[in-house]
Amino acid sequence: MANALLIIDMQNGLYDGPDKPFERERVLGTINQLIQRARTANAPIFVARHTGPAGSPIEAGSPLWQLLPELNVDEARDHLFNKTRPSCFLGTDLAQQLAAKQVDELVIVGMKTQFCIDTTCRVAAELGFSVVLPEDGHTCMDTPLLSAEAIIAHHNATLAGAFVKRV
């Protein structure tokens, strides 16, 4: 079984915006540890950047669109791609890239839990991938109705079994 690491939306404007994600330093540390483990195992690393339309704060190339400098991604080595929807698969060639590398298991991390993490986990499972969701590898911000901690716990519980293996 070949696996790959998929890192979602770890960008300046999303991770370092006015609303800080829950346990941001710990989650970043977890993701960097997983990057190191993937490198040691020669597993491919795919990095999604959410891209807004021209004129938006996260339009392609803007400072807020850039990946976090503390994220140990190597742009020359890793597979960076842009997406415009919550799913990392819709409108991208991610499925084809994974097939070319014979990947059948995806470890998914990043943000935001209730949007791009949730959607990508579900779509990946529908596409036949085995999905691993590190419970401490994704985050989001508090909302008016729920704390980020509650959102993360809910998604860890909801996705486990039917869509992901939770670790």
Side-chain angles (χ1 to χ4, degrees):
M1 183 180 292
N3 65 5
L5 178 62
L6 174 58
I7 303 166
I8 302 175
D9 298 350
M10 295 293 289
Q11 296 159 262
N12 289 328
L14 302 174
Y15 212 69
D16 252 349
D19 292 331
K20 299 294 186 228
F22 177 71
E23 295 190 345
R24 69 181 299 286
E25 295 301 327
R26 184 192 50 73
V27 172
L28 180 60
T30 296
I31 293 171
N32 278 333
Q33 288 174 2
L34 290 167
I35 290 170
Q36 189 53 51
R37 285 173 53 189
R39 291 214 197 293
T40 300
N42 283 323
I45 298 170
F46 293 84
V47 185
R49 288 177 298 218
H50 197 85
T51 304
S56 81
I58 56 170
E59 73 176 317
S62 73
L64 297 178
W65 171 83
Q66 302 296 330
L67 293 173
L68 284 173
E70 305 93 339
L71 190 66
N72 294 333
V73 168
D74 180 349
E75 294 194 27
R77 180 178 182 180
D78 301 327
H79 307 275
L80 278 62
F81 66 99
N82 300 333
K83 66 181 186 60
T84 59
R85 310 291 303 163
S87 170
C88 285
F89 293 95
L90 185 63
T92 73
D93 68 349
L94 178 60
Q96 295 85 348
Q97 292 278 339
L98 294 169
K101 300 252 182 222
Q102 300 180 318
V103 170
D104 50 10
E105 182 174 84
L106 273 179
V107 177
I108 297 178
V109 296
M111 65 178 296
K112 293 180 178 178
T113 298
Q114 73 272 42
F115 297 113
C116 300
I117 297 294
D118 178 78
T119 303
T120 299
C121 284
R122 291 171 188 260
V123 172
E126 287 178 351
L127 293 174
F129 292 97
S130 172
V131 181
V132 175
L133 181 65
E135 59 187 39
D136 61 347
H138 59 97
T139 191
C140 60
M141 292 78 159
D142 291 341
T143 70
L145 292 179
L146 289 173
S147 70
E149 189 172 15
I151 293 167
I152 293 163
H154 170 79
H155 281 80
N156 281 338
T158 301
L159 292 170
F163 301 101
V164 306
K165 289 185 281 183
R166 197 171 92 191
V167 295

